[in-house]
Amino acid sequence: QYPGCFRKFCFLVTSPIPLWVGQLTLALLVAMLAMLVWLVIDSHRINVGAVKIAIVLLVLILIIARSLWVQLHPPQGIVVRPEKAKYLFQTIEKIREALQAPKTHQVLLTNEFNAAVCQIPRLGIFGFPQNYLILGLPLMQALSPEQFRAVLAHEFGHLSGAHSKFGNWVYRVRRSWYQLMASFDVDDGLTAKIFTIFFNWYAPFFGAYSFVLARTNEYEADNYSAKIAGGKNLADALIAIEVKHTVLEENFWPTLYKKADLTPKPPNSLFQEMQKTFQAKLETEDLQKYLDQAMKRETSSADTHPALKDRLAALKQTSTLPAPLKQTAAQYFFGNALPDYAQRLDKEWQQQVITSWQERYEYAQTSQKSLAELNQRSQTTHGLTLDESLQRAAWTEEFESTEVALSLYREVLAMYANEPSAHFAIGRILLSQEQEQGIESLKKAMDVKADFTLPSCQLIYNFLMARGREKEAEPYYQRAVRYAEGLPNH
């Protein structure tokens, strides 16, 4: 409703309060110290009082300067060299020039399913940013070259100087604030504690006032991407990201980590297997199911990224599964260098998971041995205790068969009708199988024992929301809130 310059002034005044106040105070103190030194020099004599004041000013300057000097650590990843990815750097430069975006100083490759442009000020809050383009190899393996080009255009759209400079400025301010907060989380110094108190008070206010602008910036970045790479390519990229991320989370990773039950070492060809998964002829029915679920999600009030259906609507594109991949973006942009990058990321991933992988292997071996013993004892005259029966069902679900485990949980209820753990397990399994009667089992679990309220409400809420049944899901959200606040359930 207000002129752009007025809005920017108001936001400038109300967003980085401690930053500009600290900078102004520091400037005034330096000016006072300089004036004091000039007066002493001009008087041609040293005044004891002036020296004391100068010492006080100098101490204050050092304290404030130290408070304002926040070292923001650069992102981590494998540095991609232009000589090993010629087409990638040519594409980056064309997009950057088209959007009048700042220069990219370094391109990093990571093992995450993501892409981002990140600015890290070399001088902390005093600016002089260095720009990083962070590319996740899994994302590049999931998209075609045209789809990935659309993603790059979207990321550079956040830093574009072509349009909506105020919106992009707000986006960068938000990112800078969260980077500052993250840096203080790992710093135990007095300055960090003081600023953390301020952040805890100010962050909700700042987030609320900048939230709408940040979400608008996502739509604007999509608009830039559509103009540069084509609306259909961006729509295909958005759909592929949603669907293939679900493929990773529900199929690829569970299958991979299941191998830890059988072997003490993680595989050394993770990204080769991932690429085969994305290029394989995936079941169309499963992909369509994942897409349908994504299209039912509403834009959350806690997320600056709009829901898929809202982004597609803004682009005037339909929700159609993209064609199978003939060539991945990773293959196109890295060419012969891809095996080397994949191998280096394989080694990094192995180092990250080796400890937890070995712990899982040891746990699985011990647990399966104990499960065999429980199975044998269940056939004896004395049978198993309640705790042993529940543990047997849990291990059966974990290592053998969900269906067999379901029957074991029902056997527990046949002997202990009000056992909440069994009701909860049955409800959880049924909902995972998309059987709505699981809701009744979860309701029984939290009615019998209040400790099951939060996990049961969360499962039911997510189940209903995934199917677009927001009104039915709302009472379970409210029930969880009442329980968390110590209020009665009804």
Side-chain angles (χ1 to χ4, degrees), residues 161-210:
H163 303 284
S164 299
K165 294 182 179 180
F166 177 64
N168 290 331
W169 177 81
V170 171
Y171 178 87
R172 293 194 292 271
V173 168
R174 284 176 63 92
R175 291 289 296 270
S176 297
W177 267 101
Y178 295 133
Q179 288 167 348
L180 282 169
M181 292 171 70
S183 70
F184 286 134
D185 284 342
V186 297
D187 188 351
D188 294 329
L190 178 61
T191 300
K193 293 179 180 178
I194 293 173
F195 273 85
T196 299
I197 293 173
F198 175 84
F199 282 145
N200 290 338
W201 167 77
Y202 186 70
F205 171 82
F206 171 73
Y209 274 80
S210 62

Side-chain angles (χ1 to χ4, degrees), residues 225-463:
S225 176
K227 290 180 180 179
I228 297 294
K232 182 64 167 63
N233 286 328
L234 176 58
D236 285 348
L238 295 175
I239 292 170
I241 289 171
E242 285 278 357
V243 170
K244 293 183 180 180
H245 181 264
T246 307
V247 170
L248 284 181
E249 294 301 314
E250 296 194 6
N251 301 107
F252 181 83
W253 288 119
T255 301
L256 179 75
Y257 285 119
K258 195 68 179 174
K259 294 179 181 179
D261 296 350
L262 306 173
T263 176
K265 292 185 179 180
N268 56 9
S269 57
L270 170 69
F271 294 98
Q272 183 179 352
E273 294 300 319
M274 193 177 294
Q275 181 165 300
K276 289 180 181 178
T277 298
F278 287 140
Q279 286 192 280
K281 189 175 181 180
L282 300 172
E283 292 294 333
T284 304
E285 294 79 8
D286 289 341
L287 297 182
Q288 188 62 52
K289 180 184 72 173
Y290 298 151
L291 177 56
D292 291 342
Q293 290 175 352
M295 289 298 294
K296 289 177 182 177
R297 296 191 194 105
E298 301 291 339
T299 298
S300 169
S301 59
D303 193 356
T304 56
H305 285 72
L308 176 63
K309 69 174 184 179
D310 293 331
R311 296 177 75 173
L312 293 179
L315 293 167
K316 298 180 180 178
Q317 297 290 329
T318 59
S319 58
T320 305
L321 285 171
L325 291 177
K326 295 181 180 179
Q327 183 183 38
T328 71
Q331 291 169 331
Y332 176 80
F333 287 115
F334 290 138
N336 294 332
L338 178 57
D340 177 59
Y341 284 129
Q343 187 176 29
R344 291 168 66 181
L345 286 175
D346 276 334
K347 290 181 179 179
E348 286 188 5
W349 176 77
Q350 284 179 302
Q351 292 174 353
Q352 291 172 359
V353 304
I354 184 65
T355 300
S356 59
W357 189 282
Q358 290 176 342
E359 290 175 351
R360 172 66 189 185
Y361 173 76
E362 294 171 2
Y363 161 79
Q365 296 303 304
T366 302
S367 299
Q368 289 179 87
K369 183 179 178 180
S370 299
L371 173 59
E373 294 174 356
L374 289 177
N375 285 333
Q376 287 182 348
R377 287 176 50 200
S378 68
Q379 305 301 319
T380 64
T381 305
H382 297 291
L384 303 176
T385 65
L386 172 60
D387 289 340
E388 289 173 336
S389 297
L390 289 170
Q391 185 62 75
R392 179 192 177 204
W395 276 334
T396 299
E397 180 185 358
E398 187 173 6
F399 299 110
E400 295 183 0
S401 165
T402 300
E403 290 302 324
V404 175
L406 194 58
S407 65
L408 292 177
Y409 283 122
R410 285 172 172 154
E411 287 180 11
V412 171
L413 288 182
M415 298 179 64
Y416 307 92
N418 291 322
E419 172 50 45
S421 298
H423 282 301
F424 178 80
I426 291 171
R428 172 177 51 77
I429 292 173
L430 290 177
L431 288 192
S432 70
Q433 297 175 341
E434 300 189 10
Q435 298 185 48
E436 192 165 336
Q437 59 263 42
I439 292 177
E440 292 303 317
S441 295
L442 292 174
K443 288 166 65 175
K444 290 178 182 177
M446 54 182 164
D447 287 343
V448 173
K449 190 173 183 180
D451 291 349
F452 286 94
T453 300
L454 287 180
S456 295
C457 286
Q458 183 178 18
L459 287 171
I460 298 171
Y461 179 83
N462 291 341
F463 178 84

Side-chain angles (χ1 to χ4, degrees), residues 63-132:
I63 291 174
I64 294 177
R66 172 63 185 87
S67 299
L68 293 176
W69 187 265
V70 181
Q71 185 65 43
L72 299 178
H73 300 288
Q76 300 298 308
I78 296 174
V79 177
V80 180
R81 303 296 181 188
E83 60 271 17
K84 288 193 174 184
K86 179 179 67 174
Y87 294 141
L88 175 63
F89 280 83
Q90 288 176 352
T91 301
I92 291 171
E93 190 60 23
K94 288 179 181 178
I95 293 174
R96 189 191 68 79
E97 289 180 354
L99 292 174
Q100 301 175 32
K103 180 180 179 182
T104 301
H105 298 102
Q106 202 166 73
V107 178
L108 301 176
L109 189 65
T110 72
N111 59 13
E112 298 178 356
F113 193 84
N114 193 22
V117 175
C118 177
Q119 290 186 312
I120 301 293
R122 296 181 180 93
L123 302 179
I125 62 168
F126 295 101
F128 193 42
Q130 183 164 5
N131 302 314
Y132 296 85

